[in-house]
Amino acid sequence: MAEAPPLDFVARFPALGFEMRSGGIIKSWALESNFLQAADAWSIVAVDERGRGQLGMLVGQLVGIALDGKPQLVGRVDSVEHGDDLSVTIRGRDYIANMLECSVDPALKLGDGMTLRDVVTMAAGPVGIRQVMSGDALAVRNVISGKSIPVYSPGKDFTALELKDYKPNPGESIYAFLDRILARHRVTMQPSPSDISMVQLAQPV
């Protein structure tokens, strides 16, 4: 049986107008996705043909990763480690990491009429989240009652919670704050594979 051709792995750095591709300077790569971890991780081992030039300046850069032309994730470079030879190990995570590293605004206040979409964009707006997508009525579910806006199919009706239950805790990350709210609705938040300004809400079956 013939072996399947290797996947075409591409890492694009739009701000630099630069990309790396498997079969080129990339010698190996890995994508690490774990349901128990909020942010997906990735790593690349490449050959820095310019010594400690361009690859050494990638830390903090926005990167888009695709396999066989299909977007897999958007994120940033966390670290660049040079080996004894010209090899370089580049590591990073998807953009959910921004929510893990930034604290939620302690003055954030939720209103009775807010939906999950409202809460996500308000809390995560400082890290660039502007859009919330979902395949059903999740995004427009009322954050307190659990009911969806009437034009959509109704969500689960929770016992009303007091707003104090949704206040940010001191030093709480944006992700932890949102995860606490979304978990009440049995909803998960996932990154878009191609748009750093968007997250997706889903409800596991």
Side-chain angles (χ1 to χ4, degrees):
M1 180 180 295
E3 294 185 0
L7 294 172
D8 180 30
F9 179 98
V10 180
R12 294 186 174 92
F13 303 87
L16 300 176
F18 169 69
E19 73 174 34
M20 293 188 289
R21 187 180 296 270
S22 56
I25 67 172
I26 294 180
K27 301 308 177 185
S28 64
W29 56 269
L31 296 177
E32 302 172 16
S33 181
N34 187 326
F35 187 76
L36 298 178
Q37 295 180 347
D40 290 343
W42 56 272
S43 62
I44 294 169
V45 176
V47 175
D48 189 350
E49 297 172 339
R50 302 183 184 184
R52 297 181 178 238
Q54 192 169 14
L55 299 189
M57 299 185 293
L58 291 179
V59 174
Q61 289 293 327
L62 182 69
V63 58
I65 290 177
L67 287 178
D68 285 344
K70 298 178 181 179
Q72 300 297 308
L73 64 83
V74 184
R76 295 192 184 278
V77 177
D78 288 334
S79 66
V80 176
E81 300 175 5
H82 291 267
D84 293 334
D85 49 14
L86 293 179
S87 68
V88 178
T89 301
I90 306 164
R91 294 186 175 90
R93 293 169 293 169
D94 68 36
Y95 63 90
I96 295 295
N98 297 336
M99 299 189 210
L100 292 167
E101 295 177 354
C102 294
S103 297
V104 66
D105 182 356
L108 184 67
K109 294 183 180 179
L110 307 186
D112 291 337
M114 284 187 175
T115 63
L116 295 182
R117 177 185 291 129
D118 296 332
V119 174
V120 171
T121 54
M122 179 179 290
V127 293
I129 302 302
R130 301 287 181 265
Q131 303 177 71
V132 179
M133 303 296 292
S134 67
D136 49 27
L138 294 177
V140 293
R141 182 177 294 179
N142 184 279
V143 70
I144 301 300
S145 69
K147 295 180 179 179
S148 298
I149 293 174
V151 294
Y152 293 83
S153 59
K156 183 176 179 180
D157 187 3
F158 298 111
T159 301
L161 300 177
E162 296 182 15
L163 286 178
K164 66 179 178 62
D165 294 327
Y166 288 132
K167 288 183 178 180
N169 294 320
E172 189 173 28
S173 71
I174 293 172
Y175 184 87
F177 173 70
L178 290 175
D179 188 57
R180 182 158 53 90
I181 294 174
L182 295 174
R184 174 76 185 185
H185 294 257
R186 297 184 177 87
V187 170
T188 63
M189 179 172 59
Q190 303 296 328
S192 162
S194 59
D195 190 343
I196 200 169
S197 69
M198 178 191 300
V199 293
Q200 303 176 67
L201 301 185
Q203 195 162 40
V205 178

